[in-house]
């Protein structure tokens, strides 16, 4: 199963030292949290810069980059059951 997520990232919060130069482009590592509850703006996802084990152990504050919302999944919808003409 895959989940589709639309999100926005605040590029001004990305530290230049966290940008990884690769053969095919420049990258950053992020962590995405899918929350159980939806906020007042309809978002249910948060995006932060990924932290190293050392940063997590040192309780380094997370760098919040943005938020988003799930908009669908790659899983087909379950068909409704029909019994005696009633949908369940």
């Amino acid at each position: 199963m895959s989940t589709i997520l639309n999100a926005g990232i605040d590029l001004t919060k990305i530290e230049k030292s966290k940008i990884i130069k690769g053969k095919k482009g420049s990258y950053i590592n992020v962590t995405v949290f899918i929350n159980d509850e939806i906020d007042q703006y309809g978002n249910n996802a948060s995006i932060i810069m990924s932290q190293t084990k050392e940063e997590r152990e040192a309780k380094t504050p997370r760098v919040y980059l943005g938020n988003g919302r799930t908009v669908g999944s790659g899983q087909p919808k379950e068909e409704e059951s029909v019994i005696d003409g009633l949908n369940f």
Side-chain angles (χ1 to χ4, degrees):
M1 178 183 92
S2 63
T3 299
I4 300 167
L5 176 73
N6 283 342
I9 294 177
D10 185 348
L11 299 176
T12 63
K13 293 189 177 180
I14 298 171
E15 296 176 34
K16 302 276 188 251
S17 65
K18 297 284 187 174
I19 298 174
I20 301 163
K21 301 287 184 187
K23 290 182 181 180
K24 295 183 180 180
S26 299
Y27 306 89
I28 61 168
N29 290 318
V30 299
T31 302
V32 179
F33 297 93
I34 306 296
N35 306 311
D36 293 333
E37 296 181 16
I38 297 173
D39 71 11
Q40 63 186 2
Y41 304 105
N43 297 312
N44 67 334
S46 301
I47 305 166
I48 64 167
M49 289 291 301
S50 293
Q51 291 184 312
T52 64
K53 181 179 178 182
E54 293 78 20
E55 289 171 326
R56 289 190 305 273
E57 289 174 351
K59 305 283 188 213
T60 303
R62 294 176 175 173
V63 177
Y64 175 79
L65 297 175
N67 53 38
R69 63 184 63 125
T70 53
V71 293
S73 71
Q75 209 173 28
K77 292 183 179 180
E78 293 182 30
E79 293 191 27
E80 295 179 346
S81 299
V82 179
I83 300 175
D84 295 331
L86 300 173
N87 291 333
F88 292 94

Coordinates of all heavy atoms in Angstrom, one line a residue:
M1 N 0.8 -1.2 0.0 CA 0.0 0.0 0.0 C 0.9 1.2 0.0 O 1.9 1.3 0.7 CB -0.9 0.0 1.2 CG -1.8 1.2 1.3 SD -2.8 1.3 2.8 CE -1.7 2.2 3.8
S2 N 0.5 2.2 -0.8 CA 1.2 3.5 -0.7 C 0.2 4.6 -0.4 O -1.0 4.5 -0.7 CB 1.9 3.8 -2.1 OG 0.9 3.9 -3.1
T3 N 0.7 5.6 0.2 CA -0.1 6.8 0.6 C 0.4 8.0 -0.2 O 1.6 8.2 -0.2 CB 0.0 7.0 2.1 OG1 -0.5 5.9 2.8 CG2 -0.8 8.2 2.5
I4 N -0.4 8.8 -0.7 CA -0.1 10.0 -1.4 C -0.2 11.2 -0.5 O -1.2 11.3 0.2 CB -1.0 10.2 -2.6 CG1 -0.9 9.0 -3.6 CG2 -0.6 11.5 -3.4 CD1 -1.9 9.0 -4.7
L5 N 0.9 12.0 -0.4 CA 0.9 13.1 0.5 C 1.3 14.4 -0.3 O 2.2 14.4 -1.0 CB 2.0 12.8 1.5 CG 2.4 13.9 2.5 CD1 1.3 14.0 3.6 CD2 3.7 13.6 3.2
N6 N 0.5 15.4 -0.1 CA 0.8 16.8 -0.6 C 1.4 17.6 0.5 O 0.8 17.6 1.6 CB -0.4 17.5 -1.2 CG -0.8 17.0 -2.5 OD1 -0.1 16.3 -3.2 ND2 -2.1 17.2 -2.9
A7 N 2.5 18.3 0.3 CA 3.1 19.0 1.4 C 3.8 20.2 0.9 O 4.1 20.3 -0.3 CB 4.1 18.1 2.2
G8 N 4.1 21.1 1.8 CA 4.9 22.3 1.5 C 6.1 22.3 2.5 O 6.0 22.0 3.6
I9 N 7.3 22.8 1.9 CA 8.5 22.8 2.7 C 9.0 24.3 2.7 O 9.1 24.9 1.6 CB 9.5 21.8 2.2 CG1 9.1 20.4 2.4 CG2 10.9 22.1 2.8 CD1 10.0 19.4 1.8
D10 N 9.4 24.8 3.8 CA 10.0 26.1 4.0 C 11.5 26.0 3.7 O 12.3 25.6 4.5 CB 9.8 26.7 5.4 CG 10.3 28.1 5.5 OD1 11.0 28.6 4.6 OD2 10.0 28.7 6.5
L11 N 11.9 26.3 2.4 CA 13.3 26.2 2.0 C 14.3 27.0 2.8 O 15.4 26.7 2.9 CB 13.4 26.4 0.5 CG 12.6 25.5 -0.4 CD1 12.7 26.0 -1.9 CD2 13.0 24.1 -0.2
T12 N 13.8 28.1 3.4 CA 14.7 29.0 4.1 C 15.2 28.3 5.4 O 16.2 28.8 6.0 CB 14.0 30.3 4.5 OG1 12.9 30.1 5.3 CG2 13.6 31.1 3.2
K13 N 14.5 27.3 5.9 CA 14.9 26.6 7.1 C 16.0 25.5 6.9 O 16.4 24.9 7.9 CB 13.7 26.1 7.8 CG 12.8 27.2 8.3 CD 11.7 26.6 9.2 CE 10.9 27.8 9.7 NZ 9.8 27.3 10.6
I14 N 16.3 25.2 5.7 CA 17.3 24.2 5.4 C 18.7 24.7 5.5 O 19.1 25.6 4.8 CB 17.1 23.6 4.0 CG1 15.7 23.0 3.9 CG2 18.1 22.6 3.6 CD1 15.3 22.6 2.5
E15 N 19.4 24.1 6.4 CA 20.8 24.5 6.6 C 21.7 24.0 5.5 O 21.5 22.9 5.0 CB 21.4 23.9 7.9 CG 20.7 24.4 9.2 CD 21.3 23.6 10.4 OE1 22.5 23.3 10.4 OE2 20.5 23.4 11.3
K16 N 22.5 24.9 4.9 CA 23.4 24.5 3.8 C 24.2 23.3 4.1 O 24.5 22.5 3.2 CB 24.3 25.7 3.4 CG 23.5 27.0 3.0 CD 23.1 26.9 1.6 CE 22.5 28.3 1.2 NZ 21.1 28.3 1.0
S17 N 24.6 23.1 5.3 CA 25.5 22.0 5.7 C 24.7 20.6 5.6 O 25.3 19.6 5.6 CB 26.0 22.2 7.1 OG 25.0 22.1 8.1
K18 N 23.4 20.7 5.6 CA 22.6 19.5 5.5 C 22.3 19.1 4.1 O 21.7 18.0 3.8 CB 21.2 19.7 6.2 CG 21.4 20.0 7.7 CD 21.7 18.7 8.4 CE 21.7 18.9 9.9 NZ 21.9 17.7 10.7
I19 N 22.7 19.9 3.1 CA 22.4 19.5 1.7 C 23.5 18.6 1.2 O 24.7 18.8 1.4 CB 22.4 20.8 0.8 CG1 21.3 21.7 1.2 CG2 22.3 20.4 -0.7 CD1 21.3 23.1 0.5
I20 N 23.1 17.4 0.7 CA 24.0 16.4 0.2 C 24.1 16.5 -1.3 O 23.1 16.5 -2.0 CB 23.4 15.0 0.6 CG1 23.2 14.9 2.1 CG2 24.3 13.9 0.0 CD1 22.3 13.8 2.5
K21 N 25.3 16.7 -1.8 CA 25.6 16.8 -3.2 C 25.8 15.4 -3.8 O 26.7 14.6 -3.4 CB 26.9 17.6 -3.5 CG 26.8 19.0 -2.9 CD 25.9 19.9 -3.8 CE 26.0 21.3 -3.2 NZ 25.0 22.2 -3.8
G22 N 24.9 15.0 -4.7 CA 25.0 13.7 -5.3 C 25.3 13.8 -6.8 O 25.5 14.9 -7.3
K23 N 25.4 12.6 -7.4 CA 25.8 12.6 -8.8 C 24.7 13.2 -9.7 O 24.9 13.8 -10.8 CB 26.1 11.2 -9.3 CG 27.4 10.7 -8.7 CD 27.6 9.3 -9.2 CE 29.0 8.7 -8.7 NZ 29.2 7.4 -9.1
K24 N 23.4 13.0 -9.2 CA 22.3 13.5 -10.0 C 21.5 14.7 -9.5 O 20.4 15.0 -9.9 CB 21.3 12.3 -10.2 CG 21.9 11.1 -10.9 CD 20.8 10.0 -11.1 CE 21.4 8.9 -11.9 NZ 20.4 7.8 -12.1
G25 N 22.1 15.3 -8.5 CA 21.5 16.5 -7.9 C 21.8 16.7 -6.4 O 22.7 16.0 -5.9
S26 N 21.2 17.6 -5.8 CA 21.4 17.9 -4.4 C 20.2 17.5 -3.6 O 19.0 17.7 -4.1 CB 21.6 19.4 -4.2 OG 22.7 19.8 -4.9
Y27 N 20.4 16.9 -2.4 CA 19.3 16.3 -1.6 C 19.4 16.7 -0.2 O 20.4 17.2 0.3 CB 19.4 14.8 -1.7 CG 19.5 14.3 -3.1 CD1 20.7 14.1 -3.8 CD2 18.3 13.9 -3.8 CE1 20.7 13.6 -5.1 CE2 18.3 13.4 -5.1 CZ 19.6 13.3 -5.7 OH 19.6 12.8 -7.0
I28 N 18.3 16.6 0.5 CA 18.2 16.7 2.0 C 17.5 15.5 2.5 O 16.6 14.9 1.8 CB 17.5 18.0 2.5 CG1 16.1 18.0 2.0 CG2 18.3 19.2 2.1 CD1 15.3 19.1 2.7
N29 N 17.8 15.0 3.7 CA 17.0 13.9 4.3 C 16.0 14.5 5.2 O 16.3 15.4 6.0 CB 18.0 13.0 5.1 CG 18.9 12.3 4.2 OD1 18.5 11.8 3.1 ND2 20.2 12.2 4.5
V30 N 14.8 14.1 5.0 CA 13.7 14.5 5.8 C 13.0 13.3 6.5 O 13.1 12.2 6.1 CB 12.6 15.3 5.0 CG1 13.2 16.6 4.4 CG2 12.0 14.5 4.0
T31 N 12.2 13.6 7.6 CA 11.4 12.7 8.2 C 10.0 13.2 8.1 O 9.7 14.4 8.4 CB 11.8 12.5 9.7 OG1 13.2 12.1 9.7 CG2 10.9 11.5 10.4
V32 N 9.0 12.3 7.8 CA 7.6 12.7 7.6 C 6.8 11.9 8.7 O 6.9 10.7 8.7 CB 7.1 12.4 6.2 CG1 5.6 12.8 6.1 CG2 7.9 13.1 5.2
F33 N 6.0 12.6 9.4 CA 5.1 12.0 10.4 C 3.7 12.1 9.9 O 3.3 13.2 9.5 CB 5.2 12.8 11.8 CG 6.5 12.7 12.4 CD1 7.4 13.8 12.2 CD2 6.9 11.7 13.3 CE1 8.6 13.7 12.9 CE2 8.1 11.7 13.9 CZ 9.0 12.7 13.7
I34 N 3.0 11.0 9.8 CA 1.6 11.0 9.5 C 0.9 10.9 10.8 O 1.0 9.9 11.5 CB 1.2 9.8 8.6 CG1 2.1 9.7 7.3 CG2 -0.3 9.8 8.2 CD1 1.9 10.9 6.4
N35 N 0.1 11.9 11.2 CA -0.5 12.0 12.5 C -1.9 11.4 12.4 O -2.5 11.3 11.3 CB -0.7 13.5 12.8 CG 0.7 14.2 12.8 OD1 1.6 13.7 13.4 ND2 0.7 15.3 12.2
D36 N -2.4 10.9 13.5 CA -3.7 10.3 13.6 C -4.8 11.3 13.5 O -5.9 11.0 13.1 CB -3.9 9.5 15.0 CG -2.9 8.3 15.0 OD1 -2.6 7.8 14.0 OD2 -2.6 8.0 16.1
E37 N -4.6 12.6 13.9 CA -5.6 13.6 13.9 C -5.3 14.7 12.9 O -4.1 14.9 12.6 CB -5.7 14.2 15.3 CG -6.1 13.3 16.4 CD -6.2 13.9 17.8 OE1 -6.3 15.1 17.9 OE2 -6.3 13.1 18.7
I38 N -6.3 15.3 12.4 CA -6.2 16.4 11.4 C -6.3 17.7 12.2 O -7.1 17.9 13.1 CB -7.4 16.3 10.4 CG1 -7.2 15.0 9.6 CG2 -7.3 17.5 9.4 CD1 -8.4 14.7 8.7
D39 N -5.4 18.7 11.8 CA -5.3 20.0 12.5 C -6.4 20.9 11.9 O -7.2 20.5 11.0 CB -3.9 20.6 12.4 CG -3.5 21.1 11.0 OD1 -4.4 21.1 10.1 OD2 -2.3 21.4 10.9
Q40 N -6.5 22.1 12.4 CA -7.5 23.0 12.0 C -7.4 23.4 10.5 O -8.4 24.0 9.9 CB -7.5 24.3 12.8 CG -6.2 25.1 12.7 CD -6.1 26.2 13.7 OE1 -7.0 26.4 14.5 NE2 -5.0 27.0 13.6
Y41 N -6.3 23.2 9.8 CA -6.1 23.5 8.4 C -6.3 22.3 7.5 O -6.0 22.4 6.3 CB -4.7 24.1 8.2 CG -4.5 25.4 9.1 CD1 -3.7 25.3 10.2 CD2 -5.2 26.5 8.8 CE1 -3.5 26.4 11.0 CE2 -5.0 27.7 9.6 CZ -4.2 27.6 10.7 OH -4.0 28.7 11.5
G42 N -6.6 21.1 8.1 CA -6.8 19.9 7.3 C -5.5 19.1 7.1 O -5.5 18.2 6.3
N43 N -4.5 19.5 7.8 CA -3.2 18.8 7.7 C -3.1 17.6 8.7 O -3.6 17.7 9.8 CB -2.0 19.7 7.9 CG -2.0 20.9 6.9 OD1 -2.1 20.6 5.7 ND2 -1.8 22.1 7.4
N44 N -2.5 16.6 8.2 CA -2.3 15.4 9.1 C -0.8 14.9 9.0 O -0.6 13.8 9.4 CB -3.3 14.3 8.9 CG -3.1 13.7 7.6 OD1 -2.7 14.2 6.6 ND2 -3.6 12.4 7.5
A45 N 0.0 15.7 8.4 CA 1.4 15.3 8.3 C 2.4 16.4 8.6 O 2.0 17.6 8.4 CB 1.7 14.9 6.8
S46 N 3.5 16.1 9.2 CA 4.5 17.1 9.6 C 5.9 16.6 9.0 O 6.1 15.4 8.9 CB 4.7 17.2 11.1 OG 3.5 17.5 11.7
I47 N 6.7 17.6 8.6 CA 8.0 17.3 7.9 C 9.1 18.0 8.7 O 9.0 19.2 9.0 CB 8.0 17.7 6.5 CG1 6.8 17.1 5.7 CG2 9.3 17.4 5.8 CD1 6.6 17.8 4.4
I48 N 10.1 17.2 9.1 CA 11.2 17.8 9.8 C 12.5 17.4 9.1 O 12.5 16.4 8.3 CB 11.3 17.4 11.3 CG1 11.5 15.9 11.4 CG2 10.1 17.8 12.1 CD1 11.9 15.4 12.8
M49 N 13.6 18.1 9.3 CA 14.9 17.6 8.9 C 15.2 16.3 9.6 O 15.0 16.3 10.9 CB 16.0 18.6 9.1 CG 15.9 19.9 8.3 SD 16.3 19.6 6.6 CE 18.0 19.0 6.6
S50 N 15.7 15.3 9.0 CA 16.1 14.1 9.7 C 17.3 14.4 10.6 O 18.1 15.3 10.3 CB 16.6 13.0 8.6 OG 15.5 12.6 7.9
Q51 N 17.3 13.7 11.7 CA 18.4 13.9 12.7 C 19.2 12.6 12.8 O 18.7 11.5 12.6 CB 17.8 14.2 14.1 CG 17.1 15.5 14.2 CD 16.6 15.8 15.6 OE1 16.0 14.9 16.2 NE2 16.9 17.0 16.1
T52 N 20.5 12.8 13.1 CA 21.4 11.7 13.4 C 21.1 11.1 14.7 O 20.4 11.8 15.6 CB 22.9 12.1 13.3 OG1 23.1 13.1 14.4 CG2 23.2 12.8 12.0
K53 N 21.6 9.9 15.0 CA 21.4 9.3 16.3 C 22.0 10.2 17.4 O 21.4 10.4 18.5 CB 22.1 8.0 16.3 CG 21.9 7.2 17.6 CD 22.6 5.9 17.6 CE 22.5 5.2 18.9 NZ 23.2 3.9 18.9
E54 N 23.1 10.8 17.1 CA 23.8 11.7 18.1 C 22.9 13.0 18.4 O 22.8 13.4 19.5 CB 25.2 12.1 17.6 CG 26.2 11.0 17.5 CD 26.0 10.1 16.3 OE1 25.4 10.5 15.3 OE2 26.5 8.9 16.4
E55 N 22.3 13.5 17.3 CA 21.4 14.7 17.5 C 20.2 14.3 18.3 O 19.8 15.1 19.2 CB 21.0 15.2 16.2 CG 22.1 15.9 15.4 CD 21.7 16.3 14.0 OE1 21.0 15.5 13.3 OE2 22.2 17.3 13.5
R56 N 19.6 13.1 18.1 CA 18.5 12.7 18.9 C 18.8 12.5 20.3 O 18.1 12.9 21.2 CB 17.9 11.4 18.3 CG 17.2 11.7 16.9 CD 16.4 10.4 16.5 NE 17.1 9.2 16.4 CZ 17.9 8.8 15.4 NH1 17.9 9.6 14.3 NH2 18.5 7.7 15.4
E57 N 20.0 11.8 20.6 CA 20.4 11.6 21.9 C 20.7 12.8 22.7 O 20.5 12.9 23.9 CB 21.6 10.6 21.9 CG 21.2 9.2 21.5 CD 22.4 8.3 21.4 OE1 23.6 8.7 21.4 OE2 22.2 7.1 21.2
A58 N 21.3 13.9 22.0 CA 21.6 15.1 22.6 C 20.4 16.0 22.7 O 20.5 17.2 23.2 CB 22.7 15.8 21.8
K59 N 19.2 15.5 22.3 CA 17.9 16.3 22.4 C 18.0 17.6 21.6 O 17.5 18.6 22.0 CB 17.5 16.6 23.8 CG 17.4 15.3 24.7 CD 16.2 14.6 24.4 CE 16.1 13.5 25.5 NZ 15.4 12.3 25.0
T60 N 18.7 17.6 20.5 CA 18.8 18.7 19.6 C 17.4 19.1 19.1 O 16.7 18.1 18.6 CB 19.8 18.4 18.4 OG1 21.0 18.0 18.9 CG2 19.9 19.6 17.5
P61 N 17.0 20.3 19.2 CA 15.7 20.7 18.7 C 15.5 20.3 17.2 O 16.4 20.4 16.4 CB 15.6 22.2 18.8 CG 16.6 22.5 19.9 CD 17.7 21.5 19.7
R62 N 14.3 19.8 16.9 CA 14.0 19.5 15.5 C 13.8 20.7 14.7 O 13.3 21.7 15.2 CB 12.7 18.7 15.5 CG 12.7 17.3 16.1 CD 11.3 16.7 16.1 NE 11.4 15.4 16.7 CZ 10.3 14.6 16.9 NH1 9.1 15.1 16.7 NH2 10.4 13.4 17.4
V63 N 14.2 20.6 13.4 CA 14.0 21.7 12.5 C 12.7 21.4 11.7 O 12.7 20.5 10.8 CB 15.2 21.9 11.5 CG1 14.9 23.0 10.5 CG2 16.4 22.2 12.3
Y64 N 11.6 22.1 12.0 CA 10.3 21.9 11.3 C 10.4 22.5 10.0 O 10.7 23.7 9.8 CB 9.3 22.5 12.2 CG 7.9 22.4 11.6 CD1 7.1 21.3 11.7 CD2 7.3 23.6 11.1 CE1 5.9 21.2 11.1 CE2 6.0 23.5 10.5 CZ 5.3 22.4 10.6 OH 4.1 22.3 10.0
L65 N 10.1 21.8 8.9 CA 10.1 22.3 7.5 C 8.8 22.6 7.0 O 8.6 23.4 6.1 CB 10.8 21.3 6.6 CG 12.3 21.0 6.9 CD1 12.8 19.9 6.0 CD2 13.1 22.3 6.8
G66 N 7.7 21.9 7.4 CA 6.4 22.2 6.8 C 5.4 21.1 7.2 O 5.7 20.3 8.1
N67 N 4.3 21.1 6.6 CA 3.2 20.2 6.9 C 2.5 19.8 5.6 O 2.8 20.3 4.5 CB 2.3 20.7 7.9 CG 1.7 22.1 7.5 OD1 1.5 22.3 6.3 ND2 1.5 23.0 8.4
G68 N 1.6 18.9 5.7 CA 0.9 18.4 4.5 C -0.3 17.6 4.9 O -0.7 17.5 6.1
R69 N -0.9 17.0 3.9 CA -2.0 16.1 4.2 C -2.0 15.0 3.2 O -1.6 15.1 2.0 CB -3.3 16.9 4.0 CG -3.6 17.5 2.7 CD -4.8 18.3 2.6 NE -4.6 19.5 3.5 CZ -4.8 20.7 3.2 NH1 -5.1 21.0 1.9 NH2 -4.5 21.7 4.0
T70 N -2.6 13.9 3.6 CA -2.7 12.7 2.8 C -3.9 13.0 1.8 O -4.9 13.6 2.3 CB -2.9 11.4 3.5 OG1 -4.0 11.6 4.4 CG2 -1.7 11.0 4.3
V71 N -3.7 12.6 0.6 CA -4.8 12.9 -0.4 C -5.3 11.6 -1.1 O -6.2 11.7 -1.9 CB -4.3 13.9 -1.5 CG1 -4.1 15.3 -0.8 CG2 -3.1 13.4 -2.2
G72 N -4.8 10.5 -0.7 CA -5.2 9.3 -1.3 C -4.2 8.2 -1.0 O -3.2 8.4 -0.4
S73 N -4.6 7.0 -1.5 CA -3.7 5.9 -1.3 C -3.7 5.0 -2.6 O -4.6 5.1 -3.4 CB -4.0 5.0 -0.1 OG -5.2 4.3 -0.3
G74 N -2.7 4.2 -2.7 CA -2.6 3.3 -3.9 C -3.5 2.1 -3.8 O -3.5 1.2 -4.6
Q75 N -4.2 2.0 -2.7 CA -5.0 0.8 -2.4 C -6.4 1.0 -3.0 O -7.0 2.0 -2.8 CB -5.1 0.6 -0.9 CG -5.3 -0.8 -0.5 CD -5.2 -0.9 1.0 OE1 -5.5 0.0 1.8 NE2 -4.8 -2.1 1.5
P76 N -6.9 0.0 -3.7 CA -8.2 0.1 -4.3 C -9.3 0.2 -3.2 O -9.1 -0.4 -2.1 CB -8.4 -1.1 -5.1 CG -7.4 -2.1 -4.7 CD -6.3 -1.3 -4.1
K77 N -10.3 0.9 -3.4 CA -11.4 1.0 -2.4 C -12.1 -0.3 -2.3 O -12.3 -1.0 -3.3 CB -12.4 2.1 -2.9 CG -11.8 3.5 -2.8 CD -12.9 4.5 -3.1 CE -12.3 5.9 -3.0 NZ -13.3 7.0 -3.4
E78 N -12.5 -0.6 -1.1 CA -13.3 -1.8 -0.9 C -14.6 -1.7 -1.5 O -15.3 -0.6 -1.4 CB -13.4 -2.1 0.6 CG -12.1 -2.5 1.3 CD -12.3 -2.8 2.7 OE1 -13.4 -3.3 3.1 OE2 -11.4 -2.5 3.5
E79 N -15.1 -2.7 -2.1 CA -16.4 -2.7 -2.7 C -17.5 -2.8 -1.6 O -17.3 -3.5 -0.6 CB -16.6 -3.8 -3.7 CG -15.8 -3.6 -5.0 CD -16.1 -4.6 -6.1 OE1 -17.3 -5.0 -6.1 OE2 -15.2 -4.9 -6.9
E80 N -18.6 -2.1 -1.8 CA -19.6 -2.1 -0.8 C -20.4 -3.4 -0.9 O -20.5 -4.0 -1.9 CB -20.6 -1.0 -1.0 CG -20.0 0.4 -0.8 CD -21.0 1.5 -1.1 OE1 -22.1 1.2 -1.6 OE2 -20.8 2.6 -0.7
S81 N -20.8 -3.9 0.3 CA -21.6 -5.1 0.3 C -23.0 -4.8 0.1 O -23.5 -3.8 0.6 CB -21.4 -5.8 1.7 OG -20.1 -6.2 1.9
V82 N -23.7 -5.6 -0.7 CA -25.1 -5.4 -1.0 C -25.9 -6.6 -0.5 O -25.6 -7.7 -1.0 CB -25.4 -5.1 -2.5 CG1 -26.9 -4.9 -2.7 CG2 -24.6 -3.9 -2.9
I83 N -26.8 -6.4 0.4 CA -27.6 -7.5 0.9 C -29.1 -7.1 0.8 O -29.4 -6.0 1.4 CB -27.3 -7.9 2.4 CG1 -25.8 -8.4 2.4 CG2 -28.2 -9.0 2.9 CD1 -25.3 -8.7 3.8
D84 N -29.9 -7.8 0.1 CA -31.3 -7.4 -0.1 C -31.5 -6.0 -0.5 O -32.4 -5.3 0.0 CB -32.1 -7.7 1.2 CG -32.1 -9.2 1.6 OD1 -32.0 -10.0 0.6 OD2 -32.2 -9.5 2.8
G85 N -30.6 -5.5 -1.4 CA -30.7 -4.1 -1.9 C -30.2 -3.1 -1.0 O -30.4 -1.9 -1.3
L86 N -29.7 -3.4 0.2 CA -29.2 -2.4 1.2 C -27.7 -2.4 1.1 O -27.0 -3.4 1.1 CB -29.7 -2.8 2.6 CG -31.1 -2.8 2.8 CD1 -31.4 -3.3 4.2 CD2 -31.8 -1.5 2.6
N87 N -27.1 -1.2 1.0 CA -25.7 -1.0 1.0 C -25.1 -1.0 2.4 O -25.7 -0.4 3.3 CB -25.3 0.2 0.3 CG -25.5 0.2 -1.2 OD1 -25.5 -0.9 -1.8 ND2 -25.7 1.3 -1.8
F88 N -24.0 -1.7 2.7 CA -23.4 -1.7 4.0 C -22.0 -1.3 3.9 O -21.3 -1.6 2.9 CB -23.4 -3.1 4.6 CG -24.8 -3.5 5.0 CD1 -25.6 -4.3 4.1 CD2 -25.4 -3.2 6.2 CE1 -26.9 -4.7 4.4 CE2 -26.7 -3.5 6.5 CZ -27.4 -4.3 5.7

